[in-house]
């Protein structure tokens, strides 16, 4: 057998055997023969006009096979708002914005070719702050905003930097505020953070000689990738095929579309050749997508009994340079702005603002951790000022059956019990107001709620079929990137058809040419949506099996049942193994009935209604709610400000626990991810240059095993969801939502300082402690009494 062909000729002889080495080893991959490698030319400016792009020298460079720029592909893409260019045309909008790309035989040749691309820029004034972005006279990041394509339920404001604005108007907020006995106002901030998937973004594409596009990509949503590529390049869906293999982490960052348009653009210039685009770890931090930042201003008016009567939320979302996906986070945050509480009078504004920071997009929680960071601290602050126990204050104001959300949706009995979650976690960490306290040790609580943020017609479908030996094959297009979808899908199918789970094979790694349709693997919707589709398909499988067995046994189908891999007739004791039915049943005389047993089914959320465009009131704007709570215990080092999270207790109303091991793993993983965004993660952008200054795992810290709390507990309430598969509802994202706020509330309980801006770093806590002690000394001096020793709690820094 001859040695693999290496286009880059990087071959060395090791122990007498020729081996492909270096970058050229990728060309030996039989899946992508003659693979071309891409280097992207990215903007060094946060905001600038593009006056000219010259690619002639790059095109003549050794090994270069194609060069593309905005002149060649003046196209836009975006799932909800088509505002992002494939390659910059008139201007660049963040450091890292693609301007051109070079495809070559090796990565080194691609990089050398990219270095020869010449770009003329005219720097423009950049915007990094949302308050500056919405100010009168601010430079426009998108002067053509009014001409972009947008879905009907997203509301950009032409001539401004506002890419979406959702208003929530419920009751008489102004009147209720005037009647309130106490009013409280606070501002909270959340920075941009990175998803840090183990596998960076990578896409491979080819355009064959007939013009068909084929893409292999690390993504969460193969059918959405196909749809957006078709919309971008003006292609038929029948001429684009997308494969998604196992994905090495997503957390929302691989939802929608990312590198795929660049790969397709270059593939179109090199027909018949595979083209690969990938980012390295450094680029992953700023050149793909990040979680949006948030500035939240909250005003709360309460009556003399401690019931919230007026609530105002003003959210300014830092969407970065493009808002194609992020605009829906703005929307979801708006209609969920009341959190887990019943607020009778609400004035809310959720506003997405363009800046010249990295692109904001989906991140686990889809805006919910950010708004709960503000709301749950606000609730704690109000309770403290009123002298009410924070647990009791939450229970007094909690949502429940018969109560209305901020959009006016009255919750049914199956909506979930946040009150039970609150009680369980409070008891688990011992949040008794009369408990004995230890200096610089505190306990805090925070609630959480999330609904699936998706279009009203977001569907999931499955195909189920048998092999000859009655092995059941379940074809799905949801992506299992660690949450356990394939395991849960097997459980649903096995239980519905009463077959051993080990005889079920779930086929993932979807291919849009062959796999059943699924909207996206986002919104914590797969267990619920795909699970429902599986149960519907199983019902059709059951009907076919019983019909064939009834004819074979000569009994009515209603007298038969599926039982342990057979169709059984209890009255006579007879049964037929499924292996004799799934390909059709043959009688002793040779004639046969039935045929291969298979079924397809889909699930679409039912009864959803649009929000009113002026008030966001709607009887049913979302498919379901999942409620939960977390309580934490922390200790604080007074000398260094270091906060150690000792214990986290979580409880969620999940409707029905399908797999105890998976759901606990999801809960613990979410807690640790929430610990990261709560105490250490922040993408820092230099506001002079627009560059991310900590774009490496050396400088951007995420939790390690040493950071995991000593004690983690997880409990679950089971209030069955009426339209959930076996009563279940989603939980994948919810488990990280309340963690930062619960830590902040425990910190205040421990030492009397409140951190308003994430993350809760040791430096911030140390400075707040010193400021608190200085204030205590000044007050003591003014009163003419000696300053007391540092207290463990009691003031706000």
């Amino acid at each position: 057998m001859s040695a693999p062909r290496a286009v880059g000729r990087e071959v060395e002889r090791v122990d007498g055997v020729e081996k492909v080495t270096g970058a050229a080893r990728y060309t030996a991959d039989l899946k992508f023969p003659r693979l071309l490698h891409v280097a992207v030319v990215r903007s060094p400016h946060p905001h600038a006009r593009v006056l000219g792009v010259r690619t002639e020298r790059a095109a003549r460079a050794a090994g270069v096979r194609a060069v593309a720029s905005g002149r060649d592909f003046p196209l836009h893409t975006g799932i909800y708002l088509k505002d992002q260019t494939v390659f910059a045309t008139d201007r660049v909008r963040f450091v890292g914005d693609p301007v051109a790309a070079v495809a070559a035989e090796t990565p080194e040749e691609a990089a050398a070719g990219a270095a020869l691309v010449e770009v003329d820029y005219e720097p423009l004034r950049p915007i990094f702050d949302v308050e500056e972005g919405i100010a009168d006279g601010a430079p426009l990041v998108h002067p053509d905003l009014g001409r972009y394509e947008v879905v009907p339920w997203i509301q950009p404001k032409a001539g401004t930097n506002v890419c979406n604005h959702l208003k929530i108007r419920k009751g008489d907020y102004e009147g209720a505020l005037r009647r309130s006995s106490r009013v409280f106002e606070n501002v909270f901030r959340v920075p941009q953070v990175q998803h840090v998937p183990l596998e960076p973004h990578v896409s491979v594409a080819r355009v064959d000689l007939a013009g068909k596009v084929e893409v292999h990509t690390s993504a969460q949503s193969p059918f959405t990738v196909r749809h957006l590529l078709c919309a971008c390049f003006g292609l038929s869906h029948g001429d684009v095929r997308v494969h998604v293999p196992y994905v090495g982490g997503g957390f929302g960052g691989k939802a929608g579309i990312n590198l795929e348009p660049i790969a397709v653009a270059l593939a179109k210039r090199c027909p018949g050749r595979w083209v690969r685009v990938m980012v390295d770890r450094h680029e992953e931090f700023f050149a793909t997508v990040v979680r949006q930042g948030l500035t939240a201003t909250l005003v709360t008016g309460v009556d003399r009994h401690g019931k919230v009567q007026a609530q105002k939320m003003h959210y300014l979302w830092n969407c970065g340079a493009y808002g194609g996906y992020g605009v829906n986070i703005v929307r979801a945050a708006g209609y969920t702005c009341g959190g887990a509480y019943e607020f009778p009078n609400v004035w809310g504004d959720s506003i997405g603002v363009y800046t010249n920071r990295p692109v904001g997009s989906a991140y686990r929680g889809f805006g919910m951790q950010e708004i709960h960071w503000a709301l749950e601290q606000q609730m704690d602050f109000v309770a403290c000022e009123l002298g009410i126990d924070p647990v009791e204050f939450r229970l007094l104001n909690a949502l429940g059956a018969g109560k209305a959300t901020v959009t006016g949706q009255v919750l049914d009995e199956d909506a979930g019990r946040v009150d039970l979650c609150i009680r369980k976690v409070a008891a688990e960490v011992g949040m008794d107001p009369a408990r004995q306290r230890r200096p610089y040790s505190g306990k805090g609580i925070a609630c959480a709620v999330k609904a699936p943020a998706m279009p009203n017609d977001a569907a999931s479908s499955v195909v189920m079929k048998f092999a000859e030996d009655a092995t059941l094959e379940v074809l799905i297009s949801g992506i299992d990137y660690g949450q356990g979808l394939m395991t849960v899908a097997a459980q649903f199918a096995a239980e519905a058809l009463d077959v051993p789970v080990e005889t079920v094979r779930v086929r993932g790694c979807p291919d849009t040419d062959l796999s059943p349709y699924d909207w996206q693997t986002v919104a914590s919707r797969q267990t619920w949506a795909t699970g429902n589709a599986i149960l519907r398909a199983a019902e059709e499988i059951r009907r076919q099996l019983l019909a064939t067995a009834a004819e074979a046994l000569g009994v009515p189908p209603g007298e038969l049942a599926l039982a342990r891999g057979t169709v059984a007739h209890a009255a006579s004791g007879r049964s037929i193994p499924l292996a004799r039915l799934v390909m059709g049943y043959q009688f002793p005389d040779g004639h046969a009935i039935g045929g291969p047993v298979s079924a397809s089914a889909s699930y679409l959320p039912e009864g959803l209604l649009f929000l009113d465009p002026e008030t966001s009131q709607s009887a049913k704007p979302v498919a379901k709610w999942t409620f939960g709570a977390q309580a934490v215990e922390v200790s604080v080092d007074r000398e260094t400000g270091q906060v150690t999270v000792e214990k986290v207790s979580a409880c969620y109303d999940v409707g029905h626990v399908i797999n105890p091991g998976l759901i606990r793993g999801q809960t613990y993983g979410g807690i640790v991810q929430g610990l990261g965004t709560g105490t250490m993660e922040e993408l820092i952008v230099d506001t002079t240059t627009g560059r991310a200054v900590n774009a490496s795992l050396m400088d951007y810290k995420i939790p390690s095993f040493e950071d995991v709390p000593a004690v983690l507990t997880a409990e679950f309430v089971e209030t069955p969801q009426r339209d959930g598969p076996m009563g279940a509802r989603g939980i994948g994202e919810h488990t990280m939502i309340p963690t930062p706020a619960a830590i902040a509330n425990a910190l205040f309980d421990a030492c009397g300082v409140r951190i308003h801006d994430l993350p809760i770093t040791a430096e911030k806590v140390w400075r707040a402690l010193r400021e608190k002690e200085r204030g205590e000394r000044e007050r003591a001096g003014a009163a003419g009494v000696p300053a007391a020793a540092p207290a463990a709690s009691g003031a706000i820094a």
Side-chain angles (χ1 to χ4, degrees):
M1 181 177 177
S2 61
R5 177 172 177 266
V7 175
R9 299 296 190 270
E10 295 181 64
V11 179
E12 66 179 6
R13 187 169 294 277
V14 180
D15 296 330
V17 179
E18 283 191 343
K19 293 188 176 181
V20 181
T21 63
R25 70 186 182 275
Y26 298 111
T27 64
D29 188 340
L30 297 180
K31 194 167 190 176
F32 305 119
R34 302 175 65 232
L35 180 69
L36 295 175
H37 303 267
V38 173
V40 179
V41 179
R42 299 186 181 277
S43 168
H45 301 284
H47 197 195
R49 287 193 181 90
V50 178
L51 302 180
V53 180
R54 294 181 295 281
T55 61
E56 295 79 11
R57 291 176 61 207
R60 294 193 298 269
V64 171
R65 297 293 174 260
V67 183
S69 69
R71 180 179 60 232
D72 309 302
F73 296 96
L75 307 173
H76 286 76
T77 187
I79 184 170
Y80 301 114
L81 174 64
K82 289 182 68 173
D83 63 350
Q84 187 162 5
T85 51
V86 177
F87 300 108
T89 52
D90 60 327
R91 66 178 61 201
V92 291
R93 296 176 171 89
F94 72 104
V95 171
D97 209 352
V99 178
V102 174
E105 300 290 353
T106 70
E108 293 79 8
E109 289 171 329
L116 298 175
V117 175
E118 301 172 83
V119 185
D120 296 325
Y121 297 98
E122 179 189 334
L124 300 170
R125 175 186 153 197
I127 295 172
F128 299 109
D129 181 77
V130 286
E131 283 91 348
E132 182 184 3
I134 63 169
D136 292 339
L140 296 182
V141 179
H142 287 267
D144 295 332
L145 177 58
R147 292 199 284 271
Y148 294 155
E149 291 182 38
V150 60
V151 297
W153 34 274
I154 297 297
Q155 301 180 52
K157 307 297 181 186
T160 74
N161 287 315
V162 174
C163 54
N164 191 23
H165 182 182
L166 187 86
K167 302 174 184 177
I168 305 91
R169 307 288 187 260
K170 177 187 176 187
D172 178 13
Y173 166 77
E174 293 292 346
L177 194 69
R178 287 193 300 270
R179 294 188 296 271
S180 296
S181 61
R182 299 282 300 277
V183 176
F184 307 92
E185 179 173 351
N186 281 294
V187 179
F188 303 90
R189 294 181 176 85
V190 178
Q192 288 185 326
V193 301
Q194 231 297 318
H195 303 77
V196 199
L198 183 64
E199 174 198 37
H201 283 72
V202 57
S203 299
V204 181
R206 181 183 66 175
V207 179
D208 68 20
L209 299 183
K212 174 139 186 176
V213 176
E214 188 171 0
V215 176
H216 294 250
T217 186
S218 182
Q220 297 178 215
S221 315
F223 285 90
T224 294
V225 169
R226 183 183 70 173
H227 181 69
L228 295 178
L229 286 174
C230 291
C232 179
F233 290 94
L235 301 169
S236 164
H237 287 64
D239 291 331
V240 177
R241 183 180 190 180
V242 176
H243 308 257
V244 173
Y246 289 108
V247 176
F251 309 110
K254 294 175 182 176
I257 198 166
N258 288 282
L259 301 179
E260 296 87 356
I262 296 176
V264 171
L266 285 162
K268 287 174 75 70
R269 300 184 75 81
C270 304
R273 297 293 298 268
W274 289 102
V275 175
R276 187 179 73 156
V277 184
M278 68 175 294
V279 295
D280 60 22
R281 180 58 64 185
H282 174 67
E283 290 176 310
E284 181 74 30
F285 275 95
F286 63 88
T288 55
V289 293
V290 301
R291 188 174 81 174
Q292 297 180 150
L294 173 66
T295 298
T297 303
L298 274 63
V299 179
T300 305
V302 297
D303 63 22
R304 59 189 182 88
H305 302 294
K307 188 78 171 67
V308 176
Q309 296 297 334
Q311 183 67 42
K312 182 177 184 178
M313 280 78 61
H314 188 264
Y315 299 151
L316 292 177
W317 292 93
N318 196 323
C319 294
Y322 300 102
Y325 211 125
V327 290
N328 199 32
I329 299 169
V330 175
R331 179 176 179 270
Y335 65 63
T336 319
C337 67
Y341 305 106
E342 181 190 34
F343 296 145
N345 303 285
V346 178
W347 188 281
D349 290 280
S350 189
I351 303 169
V353 183
Y354 286 125
T355 65
N356 296 112
R357 288 180 177 268
V359 180
S361 188
Y363 184 102
R364 188 178 188 180
F366 211 69
M368 297 303 104
Q369 187 187 83
E370 298 93 294
I371 67 172
H372 283 78
W373 164 252
L375 179 59
E376 288 298 321
Q377 283 211 77
Q378 179 79 348
M379 295 296 283
D380 231 61
F381 176 88
V382 173
C384 178
E385 292 294 302
L386 296 177
I388 301 175
D389 173 62
V391 173
E392 294 304 318
F393 183 66
R394 285 173 169 81
L395 291 171
L396 176 65
N397 290 283
L399 279 168
K403 297 181 179 180
T405 69
V406 295
T407 66
Q409 179 184 2
V410 178
L411 299 182
D412 295 328
E413 293 290 340
D414 66 336
R417 295 287 302 275
V418 69
D419 59 323
L420 296 183
C421 297
I422 293 170
R423 294 183 191 279
K424 282 180 177 289
V425 298
E428 178 64 31
V429 301
M431 290 191 68
D432 182 350
R435 69 184 184 274
Q436 187 174 1
R437 294 175 175 269
R438 292 184 292 118
Y440 291 92
S441 177
K443 299 176 181 181
I445 189 171
C447 296
V449 66
K450 185 183 183 299
M454 60 187 185
N456 292 1
D457 59 354
S460 292
S461 56
V462 303
V463 172
M464 292 170 63
K465 59 190 180 74
F466 283 100
E468 292 86 340
D469 65 350
T471 295
L472 178 63
E473 297 178 288
V474 182
L475 281 63
I476 64 173
S477 289
I479 306 300
D480 192 332
Y481 37 68
Q483 79 276 39
L485 172 60
M486 295 175 75
T487 301
V488 169
Q491 287 184 255
F492 279 132
E495 186 158 346
L497 295 174
D498 199 5
V499 297
V501 71
E502 57 267 23
T503 68
V504 180
R505 301 290 185 271
V506 178
R507 310 300 188 195
C509 299
D511 171 346
T512 56
D513 270 12
L514 305 175
S515 302
Y517 175 84
D518 197 294
W519 173 64
Q520 292 194 68
T521 305
V522 297
S524 303
R525 61 181 291 277
Q526 281 297 329
T527 293
W528 171 73
T530 296
N532 271 320
I534 289 171
L535 295 185
R536 288 183 174 183
E539 188 59 31
E540 173 58 19
I541 293 279
R542 177 182 179 277
R543 187 196 65 77
Q544 293 177 36
L545 289 170
L546 296 189
T548 302
E551 190 171 347
L553 295 173
V555 298
E559 295 182 8
L560 299 174
L562 297 174
R564 298 178 297 281
T566 70
V567 176
H569 185 242
S572 66
R574 293 179 295 164
S575 64
I576 303 176
L578 292 187
R580 290 193 59 196
L581 294 168
V582 294
M583 294 297 156
Y585 181 82
Q586 190 172 54
F587 286 89
D589 65 0
H591 82 278
I593 58 172
V597 175
S598 65
S600 63
S602 62
Y603 183 77
L604 189 77
E606 298 174 353
L608 301 189
L609 302 170
F610 283 131
L611 298 166
D612 182 277
E614 294 301 321
T615 66
S616 292
Q617 297 302 290
S618 172
K620 190 178 180 181
V622 297
K624 58 186 174 66
W625 299 97
T626 300
F627 292 95
Q630 287 182 16
V632 306
E633 184 171 356
V634 305
S635 60
V636 182
D637 186 320
R638 175 178 168 270
E639 297 303 320
T640 66
Q642 183 64 45
V643 178
T644 301
V645 180
E646 309 283 359
K647 179 177 182 178
V648 181
S649 175
C651 182
Y652 292 88
D653 190 335
V654 298
H656 179 61
V657 174
I658 303 300
N659 186 302
L662 286 176
I663 200 169
R664 288 187 184 279
Q666 278 279 48
T667 303
Y668 297 151
I671 290 170
V672 174
Q673 191 169 6
L675 179 71
T677 54
T679 64
M680 60 189 74
E681 294 187 52
E682 176 181 8
L683 186 67
I684 301 171
V685 173
D686 185 326
T687 55
T688 304
T689 65
R691 296 178 180 271
V693 300
N694 59 337
S696 74
L697 289 175
M698 179 70 73
D699 301 311
Y700 186 100
K701 191 174 187 303
I702 60 174
S704 68
F705 280 111
E706 291 184 350
D707 301 301
V708 177
V711 181
L712 297 174
T713 70
E715 295 184 77
F716 304 99
V717 175
E718 295 182 277
T719 305
Q721 177 84 18
R722 189 175 297 117
D723 63 354
M726 300 179 184
R729 57 173 71 92
I731 190 183
E733 298 166 275
H734 307 70
T735 55
M736 73 171 294
I737 291 171
T739 313
I743 294 171
N745 292 336
L747 171 66
F748 180 79
D749 185 60
C751 59
V753 301
R754 189 169 292 283
I755 304 300
H756 288 236
D757 299 355
L758 275 175
I760 307 168
T761 62
E763 181 181 0
K764 289 179 183 177
V765 174
W766 182 87
R767 291 184 183 279
L769 285 170
R770 301 292 85 81
E771 181 66 25
K772 174 175 176 282
E773 291 168 3
R774 184 162 51 250
E776 290 170 346
R777 288 194 299 269
E778 290 173 355
R779 287 191 294 274
V785 296
S793 63
I796 300 173

